[in-house]
């Protein structure tokens, strides 16, 4: 750790991991509910578990992004954070608001939550991923403004690199697009139209900038390749991501009441969305190949390079599978979407946050990297998590194919109903649950690596060696 | 030494002039139903020739790694034949 | 002498410009290929829309724009040669390239304005959806090309030539040629292959 203020990243990372564990627990509950419909009913109904699972994901990833920013920005700008105190205050505000929201989801019926949080004053609730009570949304905006102010002032004061400029652009975009969550028109088409401005333009737009800059930062630090080379790649990847991602929003505008030309815009531009991810993969591996130093943190490099592969598969390949309008006509909202969602979020965003945590955590604790023994456990956990997430994805894809072939493709009268199809898929859901448990084992191994790291701290290279 | 440069620019200049002439010829083609087919064939051939020159001489991929050159040539061939096929189909 | 030989006759396997940029250009060409292939498919299924749509376009505008882009390609290729030979003319050739781009932009804007005022738009029919989608996406590339060329020309004039100049100017040129290449296919498809 070169700058004292980088330490504020620690609580963000710790809270992110905590919420990650929560997300996995709810994932297991959901996996079970697919098979045993009334499992934990009425305490935790499926819709609530699903909401908690996806909301925890978003909240912990945002928390991870903030932690990554607090860690990365002082080092890139070569000056201390503008106000570490503000970062701490915002952390507690975010943590308390996030926790209260989750408690709200779990303790009272959603309609009651809407009532007691005054949703009728400015109705924004009830939409997928944006279920947060309006006051939580206002809280998120306040935290985001404070965070951007803090980071922006730091960047203004210090060195402006391509990495921190791309990062701040991504974060600004993240905040700006979130504002569309306050727009809740009564027309369902318009509602969905702008809802995607938050959801799609986040994950397939501005979040890719954040992903790109964190990846570039890790690669510069671990490979020692010239900044210029890394920056050039970053520019091109970001350019490609925005060209494909912004108009790629069109793939959500198929058959929802929007004009026909979206079928073409959406198909064509989203068909190239795998390319920035492909370039990211080429980028990571060519930087590693050209490396000028052997960084002791192999685990972080494994996370970063595996991240690009999994992101390419999840966001790129699995996105492409159902992105063309004629295909999407049949696959829309099937388990194929769930397969894509799982691998894309895991590959692109979960892994990059875990990569930066893996890189930063030892440094925040005065070590260049964890001990080889701890890294061994961590790398094993990466393999277990990646392979089980791939298994989940393949199984959900199989489920989706069954769904499409039984329920969607056959003509009226021949096609079987939704619930009958679900019954057919139950064996696949069992296998998926097993894969989900394997993923949980991976998460435990990951947590265990922290314990091993603590125990074998004396075997880890000290930070002083990092000139 | 000087002659090498001159050769390169002369070659470029000639290609540029021929490409301009080909483009102008298209404009002068009589736009009647009788000439529809020749016009399609001529404009496709002109597009191919221009594309090949752009790739080989302007982009200077003639001596570049063959993989890249082939990819661009394939792109040119595929897109030109797609539009030409569609036009011929119609006529 | 060795250096000079390399300049005049690039050795086999020499890649002009930056490798990373070529990935980007291939990706861009991929998008245009999809657009062009898509339009061909629609044309086969709706020949009448293309017949009536193409009749509305202005072939002369297409011809002027093709001449402009081809000339731009020529200028930027000359600029690269000048950079390699440390000729001060490089700057002028880059500026000339940007000027040809501006001609293209002006003509295209006029074309859009006249079509839109006649009531043709993205919504009009399948042909115009493609016309506006493909040409506008391409138009934005020309605008970006002009900006890139101008920024690079200014940097070249201000900072002079350095060891990266050749590679940078080749990259700028490659981008421009890519934009030109796309237009070379779009131009006959939109204005002349009437059938």
């Amino acid at each position: 750790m070169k700058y004292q203020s980088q330490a504020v990243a620690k609580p963000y990372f710790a809270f992110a991991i905590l919420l990650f564990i929560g997300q996995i627990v709810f994932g297991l509950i959901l996996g079970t509910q697919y098979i045993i419909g009334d499992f934990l009913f009425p305490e935790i109904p499926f819709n609530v578990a699903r909401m908690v699972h996806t909301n925890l994901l978003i909240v912990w990833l945002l928390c991870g992004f903030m932690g990554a920013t607090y860690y990365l920005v002082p080092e890139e700008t070569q000056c201390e954070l503008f106000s570490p105190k503000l970062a701490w205050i915002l952390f507690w505000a975010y943590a308390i608001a996030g926790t209260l929201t989750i408690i709200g989801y779990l303790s009272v019926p959603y309609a009651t939550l809407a009532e007691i949080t005054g949703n009728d004053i400015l109705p924004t609730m009830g939409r997928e991923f944006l279920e947060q009570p309006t006051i939580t949304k206002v809280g998120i905006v306040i935290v985001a403004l404070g965070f951007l102010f803090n980071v922006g002032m730091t960047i203004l004061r210090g060195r402006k690199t391509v990495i921190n400029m791309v990062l701040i652009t991504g974060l600004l975009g993240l905040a700006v697009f979130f504002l569309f969550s306050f727009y809740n028109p009564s027309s369902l088409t318009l509602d969905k139209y702008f809802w995607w401005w938050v959801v799609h333009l986040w994950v397939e737009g501005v979040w890719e900038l954040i992903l790109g800059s964190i990846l570039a930062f890790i690669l510069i630090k671990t490979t020692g390749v010239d900044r210029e080379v890394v920056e050039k790649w970053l520019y091109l990847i970001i350019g490609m991501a925005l060209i494909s991602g912004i108009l790629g929003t069109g793939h959500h505008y198929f058959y929802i009441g929007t004009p026909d030309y979206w079928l073409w815009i959406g198909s064509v531009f989203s068909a190239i969305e795998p390319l920035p991810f492909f370039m990211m993969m080429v980028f990571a591996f060519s930087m590693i190949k050209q490396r000028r130093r052997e960084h002791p943190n192999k685990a972080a490099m494994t996370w970063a390079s595996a991240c690009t592969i999994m992101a390419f598969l999840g966001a790129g390949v699995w996105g492409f599978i159902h992105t063309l309008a004629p295909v999407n006509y049949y696959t829309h909202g099937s388990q194929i979407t769930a397969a894509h969602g799982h691998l894309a979020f895991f590959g692109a965003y979960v892994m990059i946050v875990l990569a930066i945590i893996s890189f930063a955590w030892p440094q925040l604790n005065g070590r260049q990297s964890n001990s080889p023994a701890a890294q061994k456990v961590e790398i094993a956990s990466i393999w277990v998590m990646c392979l089980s997430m791939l298994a989940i994805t393949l199984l959900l894809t199989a489920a989706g194919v069954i769904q499409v072939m039984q329920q969607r493709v056959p003509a009226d009268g021949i096609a079987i109903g939704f619930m009958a199809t679900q019954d057919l898929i139950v064996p696949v859901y069992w296998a998926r649950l097993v894969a989900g448990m394997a993923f949980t084992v991976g998460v435990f191994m990951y947590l265990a690596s922290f314990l091993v790291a603590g125990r074998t701290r004396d075997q880890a290279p000290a930070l002083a060696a990092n000139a | 030494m000087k002659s090498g440069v001159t050769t390169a620019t002369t070659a470029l200049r000639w290609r540029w002039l021929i490409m301009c002439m080909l483009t102008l010829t298209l404009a002068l083609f009589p736009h009647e139903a009788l000439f529809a087919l020749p016009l399609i064939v001529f404009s496709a051939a002109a597009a191919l020739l221009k594309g090949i020159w752009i790739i080989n001489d302007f982009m200077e991929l003639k001596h570049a790694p063959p993989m890249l050159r082939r990819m661009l040539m394939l792109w040119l061939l595929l897109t030109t034949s797609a539009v030409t096929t569609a036009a011929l189909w119609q006529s | 002498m060795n250096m000079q030989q390399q300049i005049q006759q690039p050795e086999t396997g020499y890649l002009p410009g930056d490798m990373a940029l070529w990935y980007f250009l291939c990706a861009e060409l991929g998008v245009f290929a999809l657009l062009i292939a898509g339009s061909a498919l629609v044309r086969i299924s709706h020949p009448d829309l293309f017949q009536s749509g193409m009749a509305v376009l202005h072939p002369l505008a297409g011809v002027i724009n093709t001449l402009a882009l081809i000339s731009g390609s020529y200028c930027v290729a000359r600029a690269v040669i000048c950079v390699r030979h440390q000729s001060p003319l490089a700057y002028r050739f880059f500026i000339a390239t940007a000027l040809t781009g501006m001609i293209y932009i002006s003509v295209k804007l006029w074309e859009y304005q006249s079509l839109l005022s006649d009531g043709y738009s993205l919504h009009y029919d399948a042909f115009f959806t493609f016309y506006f989608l493909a040409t506008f996406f391409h138009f934005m590339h020309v605008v970006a090309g002009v900006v890139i060329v101008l920024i690079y020309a200014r940097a070249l004039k201000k900072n002079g030539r350095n060891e990266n100049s050749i590679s940078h100017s080749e990259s700028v040129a490659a981008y421009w040629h890519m934009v030109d290449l796309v237009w070379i296919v779009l131009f006959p498809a939109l204005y002349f292959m009437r059938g």
Side-chain angles (χ1 to χ4, degrees), chain A residues 332-380:
Chain A
H332 198 107
S334 67
Q335 292 294 344
I336 292 180
T337 312
H340 163 58
H342 277 83
L343 196 60
F345 265 111
F346 174 72
Y349 300 119
V350 171
M351 290 187 77
I352 197 66
V353 171
L354 296 182
I356 187 79
I357 292 177
S358 175
F359 178 76
W361 196 262
Q363 307 228 358
L364 289 167
N365 287 297
R367 288 283 175 270
Q368 215 179 336
S369 71
N370 284 331
S371 68
Q375 287 193 46
K376 214 170 158 185
V377 180
E378 191 176 346
I379 291 173

Side-chain angles (χ1 to χ4, degrees), chain A residues 77-117:
Chain A
T77 54
Q78 296 181 333
C79 66
E80 294 286 355
L81 192 65
F82 178 72
S83 166
K85 201 173 174 182
L86 179 60
W88 270 101
I89 295 171
L90 292 175
F91 168 73
W92 284 112
Y94 188 76
I96 293 169
T99 313
L100 283 178
T101 304
I102 301 294
I103 292 174
Y105 288 161
L106 290 170
S107 56
V108 291
Y110 191 66
T112 315
L113 183 65
E115 216 178 290
I116 55 180
T117 55

Side-chain angles (χ1 to χ4, degrees), chain A residues 12-80:
Chain A
Y12 284 90
F13 287 153
F15 190 58
I17 296 289
L18 194 70
L19 296 180
F20 176 40
I21 298 167
Q23 191 210 348
I24 301 309
V25 170
F26 278 88
L28 288 174
I29 294 175
L30 286 163
T32 314
Q33 287 177 336
Y34 262 99
I35 304 158
I36 307 160
D38 54 0
F39 177 68
L40 291 184
F41 187 83
E43 284 74 25
I44 307 176
F46 179 84
N47 64 325
V48 171
R50 185 181 188 278
M51 182 165 72
V52 174
H53 181 65
T54 55
N55 277 235
L56 277 175
L57 168 72
I58 296 166
V59 173
W60 90 257
L61 287 180
L62 291 180
C63 200
F65 287 162
M66 287 194 274
T69 309
Y70 285 133
Y71 179 79
L72 182 158
V73 164
E75 217 162 303
E76 281 294 296
T77 54
Q78 296 181 333
C79 66
E80 294 286 355

Side-chain angles (χ1 to χ4, degrees), chain C residues 8-193:
Chain C
Q8 286 158 25
Q9 204 67 53
E11 59 192 282
T12 308
Y14 173 78
L15 181 72
D18 199 284
M19 231 269 283
L21 179 88
W22 282 102
Y23 276 102
F24 181 78
L25 295 187
C26 288
E28 292 262 70
L29 285 173
V31 188
F32 281 110
L34 286 171
L35 277 171
I36 293 168
S39 78
L41 280 176
V42 173
R43 183 169 187 178
I44 288 172
S45 53
H46 304 284
D48 47 323
L49 292 183
F50 270 69
Q51 189 74 0
S52 55
M54 286 168 91
V56 176
L57 301 182
H58 307 278
L60 192 62
V63 169
I64 296 172
N65 274 347
T66 310
L67 294 176
L69 285 190
I70 290 175
S71 306
S73 259
Y74 170 71
C75 292
V76 84
R78 286 291 303 271
V80 171
I81 296 177
C82 290
V83 170
R84 282 187 198 139
H85 294 88
Q86 308 186 19
S87 157
L89 281 176
Y91 175 73
R92 288 192 191 168
F93 273 116
F94 276 122
I95 295 297
T97 310
L99 286 175
T100 62
M102 285 172 196
I103 294 175
Y104 178 96
I105 292 169
S106 317
V107 173
K108 203 80 216 158
L109 284 177
W110 170 80
E111 237 186 316
Y112 283 150
Q113 194 270 334
S114 99
L115 284 172
L116 290 172
S117 63
D118 290 343
Y120 299 101
S121 68
L122 196 64
H123 303 261
Y124 189 79
D125 62 18
F127 173 78
F128 281 100
T129 296
F130 267 109
Y131 173 79
F132 281 106
L133 193 58
T135 61
F136 189 70
F137 189 52
H138 180 264
F139 173 82
M140 292 310 291
H141 280 77
V142 180
V143 173
V146 169
V147 173
I148 292 167
V149 166
L150 285 177
I151 289 175
Y152 184 67
R154 189 169 163 267
L156 193 68
K157 189 166 192 191
K158 209 171 128 196
N159 309 331
R161 197 176 171 282
N162 61 33
E163 74 272 21
N164 292 325
S165 291
I166 293 181
S167 171
H168 286 171
S169 61
E170 284 170 350
S171 295
V172 170
Y175 179 83
W176 186 278
H177 295 314
M178 184 275 291
V179 176
D180 187 16
L181 185 62
V182 171
W183 182 251
I184 278 173
V185 179
L186 278 179
F187 162 67
L190 289 173
Y191 296 94
F192 288 102
M193 293 185 169

Side-chain angles (χ1 to χ4, degrees), chain A residues 136-147:
Chain A
T136 306
K137 289 196 182 88
V138 174
I140 293 175
V141 171
I142 293 169
V143 170
L145 283 176
F147 168 73

Side-chain angles (χ1 to χ4, degrees), chain B residues 1 16 54 60 63 75 90, chain C residues 8 13 29 43 47 51 84:
Chain B
M1 187 179 87
W16 169 56
I54 292 284
E60 299 183 295
H63 304 285
W75 181 92
Q90 184 173 342
Chain C
Q8 286 158 25
L29 285 173
R43 183 169 187 178
Q51 189 74 0
R84 282 187 198 139

